Amino acid sequence: MPKLSQPLPEGPLAIVGDVHGELEALDRLLARIGDERTLVFVGDLIDRGPDSVGVVRRVGELIARGRAVAALGNHELNILLGEHKEGNGWFYGERENAQLHGEEVEFTSRLATERDRGEVLELIRAMPLVLERND
């Protein structure tokens, strides 16, 4: 069981929030940030965007390499609690529609396989609610 609070590493940080399944945007950001700073993901890695599974995998790789830490956001908590919310149908293998400027559009999210769901749950179950350090 993960701790509710985990320490942040010392040194310079790059705080990243609300990725929302946007893997291409995350990769562009990572290229710009470089390797000088520890990445701190502050929730909402998933939902709404086209590749939540890809984002979870990328963040998991960064964490495994000691390059990043991550805290839970409300979108991750919804998955942990089994809450079906707008934007997280990808996790349950469901296509979804949303309202955009008064018109109904289909989310183009990659649907998770059973294996994908296991990987997503493994990562988010290990994430704390809080990351902190003395400064």
Side-chain angles (χ1 to χ4, degrees):
M1 173 124 194
K3 294 180 181 178
L4 291 178
S5 175
Q6 291 180 4
L8 278 169
E10 295 299 320
L13 305 171
I15 311 298
V16 181
D18 296 297
V19 178
H20 285 295
E22 295 288 346
L23 182 59
E24 288 181 17
L26 175 59
D27 284 341
R28 286 192 306 272
L29 178 65
L30 294 175
R32 289 192 70 156
I33 291 173
D35 295 330
E36 308 287 315
R37 298 172 177 270
T38 299
L39 300 160
V40 179
F41 292 94
V42 292
D44 297 350
L45 297 173
I46 58 174
D47 296 348
R48 299 186 181 144
D51 196 359
S52 291
V53 173
V55 168
V56 167
R57 284 190 178 135
R58 180 79 75 249
V59 171
E61 291 164 3
L62 292 165
I63 291 170
R65 291 191 344 236
R67 175 94 170 73
V69 294
L72 291 167
N74 63 304
H75 290 263
E76 290 81 22
L77 287 171
N78 288 336
I79 295 294
L80 288 175
L81 297 171
E83 297 285 334
H84 286 238
K85 301 279 185 166
E86 183 178 310
N88 73 7
W90 63 272
F91 183 80
Y92 302 101
E94 304 165 355
R95 293 259 177 240
E96 290 184 277
N97 295 328
Q99 292 292 317
L100 180 66
H101 306 295
E103 292 186 36
E104 190 165 295
V105 295
E106 183 177 316
F107 281 116
T108 56
S109 301
R110 170 183 164 203
L111 299 181
T113 64
E114 190 169 327
R115 178 177 173 251
D116 295 334
R117 283 189 290 278
E119 287 182 43
V120 168
L121 287 171
E122 182 179 352
L123 178 73
I124 65 177
R125 283 180 178 146
M127 293 166 62
L129 285 172
V130 176
L131 296 163
E132 63 183 344
R133 70 181 192 192
N134 290 335
D135 63 348

